Amino acid sequence: MFPTDLFRDRKIVVGVTGGIAAYKVCEFIRYLVTRGSQLRVMMTRSATEFITPLTLETLSGHPVYRELFPQDTFSATQHVNLADWAETIAVVPATANILGKFAGGIADDFVSSTLLAAHCPILFAPAMNHHMWENPFVQQNLERIRQAGHEICPPEYGFLAEGYEGMGRLARLEYLIQSLYRTMHPARDSLQGKTVLITAGPTREPLDPVRYFSNFSSGKMGLALAWEAFARGARVILIHGPIQLTPPFGMECVAVETARQMHQAVLDHYQDADWVISAAAVADFRPKRTAEEKIKKSGTPMQLELEANPDILATVAKERRAGQLIIGFAVETHDGEKNARRKLQEKSLDAIVLNNPLEKGAGFAVDTNRVTLLHRNGTRVELDIMYKLDVARKIFDFVLEQSP
Ligand code: C5P
């Protein structure tokens, strides 16, 4: 899960409608509380059959809105006030009923009235029985909602409360946050129509059937870049080595193991790409021979012969077509800027992102990074320490500004 400061102090209304997946909204609200969002929750009457308002009041720290005409207030315009307050509304889970009401312009309870009065982007995360999901009227309603510029986080295939498998499970938390990030992005759709290819994570270079050489890369920076490109409306191709993270949804993910496989996957896809961002920590060397059987201890020192892997980024940059933007990373523990500038030039890149894994809060595996951005036009921007997703946003802003 990516922490980000994009949600800090932002006014977010969470709408909960009546499906069994309603219990999962607690984790979503909790995530937003930890990110420092200003939260208000509204529930339909059916939602309160599945989960109590007290649970969501406790998690959000505010009373839950439920009634259009509450007994304890003189105001009959609370739904309009809340709609005016909201910077975003996230309906999690969204039933077929609320989708139908919203697409049909119906406002007959607090949640549907607030949605209709809203003038901000709305995220719907549908969850329902798979026959309901496949119903053409539901699909038409979703299409209308999409056409109106709102965001849909599609449900997943899996075990349903009905006791069998099908399409209709609420999207997992990572996907909900990925969708919310896109819904709230200040430059949403700024890369509409573009294709962005990203390499991420480490590679593994096998020595024998049970051992390999690798590095400490977690893939977090690369996946954060993939979230960022997705949020900006790009078609994303993510080519990643072995990682422990959930691959994002809504993009083409290609899983590879070795540098040579990553090289091949990049060659297969890069022609289509308008941007190539190489965030992978590709192993520079591999064992010259991979033993077919496990290498046994012999009691004597062992000599290993290594050979160089192909430089994927350099190959792509050399064969780039006009208009293609190529961005690399430089992980340096000493003489960082000198080495990064040399790589920028030698690999003929448009920009390079320099980081030092020995600095606190930077480099491999952690959620934050501290980078310096260098452009081939000489521009240099040093960023403070920040979450990797926020670094990713700055990298895209930087490249868009410097390479118009
Ligand atoms: O030369 P160096 O390995 O430090 O360059 C780092 C940049 O090159 C990173 O963007 C990395 O993803 C890329 N790279 C590559 N193929 C390699 C080695 C590095 O694409 N074999």
Side-chain angles (χ1 to χ4, degrees):
M1 182 74 55
F2 288 113
T4 166
D5 274 330
L6 190 79
F7 303 137
R8 187 164 303 286
D9 290 326
R10 303 289 292 278
K11 295 171 179 153
I12 303 173
V13 173
V14 179
V16 187
T17 64
I20 179 62
Y23 77 92
K24 296 183 184 169
V25 79
C26 298
E27 290 292 340
F28 180 70
I29 291 173
R30 244 203 122 74
Y31 169 87
L32 291 174
V33 169
T34 64
R35 298 282 39 98
S37 308
Q38 295 191 46
L39 278 182
R40 299 292 183 273
V41 178
M42 56 182 182
M43 298 173 82
T44 61
R45 198 163 290 169
S46 339
T48 64
E49 299 284 339
F50 289 97
I51 176 170
T52 73
L54 181 64
T55 308
L56 303 188
E57 285 176 351
T58 310
L59 289 176
S60 69
H62 290 277
V64 162
Y65 294 88
R66 279 183 284 165
E67 302 293 341
L68 264 182
F69 308 108
Q71 304 290 314
D72 55 353
T73 167
F74 294 109
S75 170
T77 59
Q78 276 193 337
H79 60 289
V80 178
N81 301 345
L82 189 63
D84 284 344
W85 179 85
E87 285 179 69
T88 292
I89 304 179
V91 186
V92 183
T95 55
N97 185 44
I98 198 71
L99 297 172
K101 281 195 207 177
F102 185 63
I106 292 172
D108 65 352
D109 65 1
F110 190 90
V111 172
S112 53
S113 303
T114 307
L115 291 177
L116 218 59
H119 39 92
C120 60
I122 305 175
L123 164 65
F124 291 90
M128 63 194 73
N129 169 268
H130 76 124
H131 291 304
M132 292 170 96
W133 173 252
E134 283 157 15
N135 186 300
F137 297 128
V138 171
Q139 289 302 319
Q140 284 163 18
N141 289 336
L142 284 164
E143 199 41 46
R144 292 189 74 178
I145 294 172
R146 241 186 237 114
Q147 291 291 331
H150 299 296
E151 195 62 29
I152 309 288
C153 182
E156 292 190 56
Y157 183 92
F159 191 76
L160 303 174
E162 290 81 348
Y164 51 78
E165 294 208 344
M167 189 73 185
R169 270 170 74 93
L170 180 70
R172 70 194 68 182
L173 185 59
E174 281 95 340
Y175 295 176
L176 297 176
I177 306 299
Q178 186 188 332
S179 287
L180 184 68
Y181 184 73
R182 174 168 152 71
T183 311
M184 298 197 75
H185 199 287
R188 185 179 177 214
D189 291 333
S190 54
L191 286 178
Q192 187 81 47
K194 300 282 185 197
T195 297
V196 178
L197 184 151
I198 296 162
T199 68
T203 63
R204 269 183 195 168
E205 311 299 325
L207 177 62
D208 68 15
V210 296
R211 303 182 180 100
Y212 58 82
F213 287 109
S214 192
N215 54 62
F216 293 113
S217 168
S218 62
K220 280 183 182 170
M221 193 60 239
L223 263 65
L225 289 159
W227 273 40
E228 181 61 29
F230 170 85
R232 290 174 185 255
R235 172 185 163 225
V236 188
I237 303 166
L238 173 67
I239 299 172
H240 65 84
I243 50 172
Q244 303 298 319
L245 306 164
T246 308
F249 83 95
M251 58 189 71
E252 191 178 338
C253 294
V254 183
V256 298
E257 292 258 331
T258 66
R260 282 191 291 182
Q261 288 168 0
M262 185 172 278
H263 188 221
Q264 189 54 52
V266 170
L267 291 181
D268 291 345
H269 291 92
Y270 88 97
Q271 296 286 6
D272 285 352
D274 300 289
W275 292 46
V276 176
I277 310 180
S278 185
V282 185
D284 289 323
F285 300 98
R286 63 173 181 266
K288 191 158 185 189
R289 270 174 300 277
T290 302
E292 279 181 17
E293 288 174 4
K294 186 181 164 195
I295 300 170
K296 296 278 180 220
K297 282 195 283 250
S298 66
T300 54
M302 189 181 169
Q303 297 280 344
L304 266 182
E305 211 179 335
L306 300 174
E307 63 187 1
N309 270 325
D311 192 314
I312 305 170
L313 183 59
T315 321
V316 169
K318 211 183 299 156
E319 294 174 17
R320 68 173 358 143
R321 59 172 166 74
Q324 225 171 9
L325 292 172
I326 315 279
I327 298 126
F329 273 69
V331 174
E332 306 291 341
T333 53
H334 60 280
D335 283 340
E337 210 148 321
K338 202 170 108 213
N339 286 325
R341 279 190 199 285
R342 185 176 44 75
K343 280 177 198 173
L344 182 69
Q345 226 176 19
E346 278 176 6
K347 300 197 190 196
S348 34
L349 310 176
D350 291 281
I352 196 156
V353 182
L354 164 67
N355 64 75
N356 178 349
L358 299 184
E359 268 186 52
K360 199 169 181 293
F364 294 139
V366 290
D367 281 332
T368 51
N369 210 352
R370 184 158 179 214
V371 306
T372 302
L373 309 176
L374 303 169
H375 194 271
R376 70 185 159 86
N377 67 12
T379 313
R380 173 187 185 279
V381 173
E382 203 175 316
L383 297 180
D384 290 334
I385 182 165
M386 60 181 79
Y387 292 119
K388 284 184 171 167
L389 190 51
D390 301 329
V391 173
R393 199 162 61 251
K394 299 272 187 198
I395 292 172
F396 276 76
D397 283 342
F398 175 77
V399 176
L400 281 167
E401 271 164 30
Q402 299 302 324
S403 313

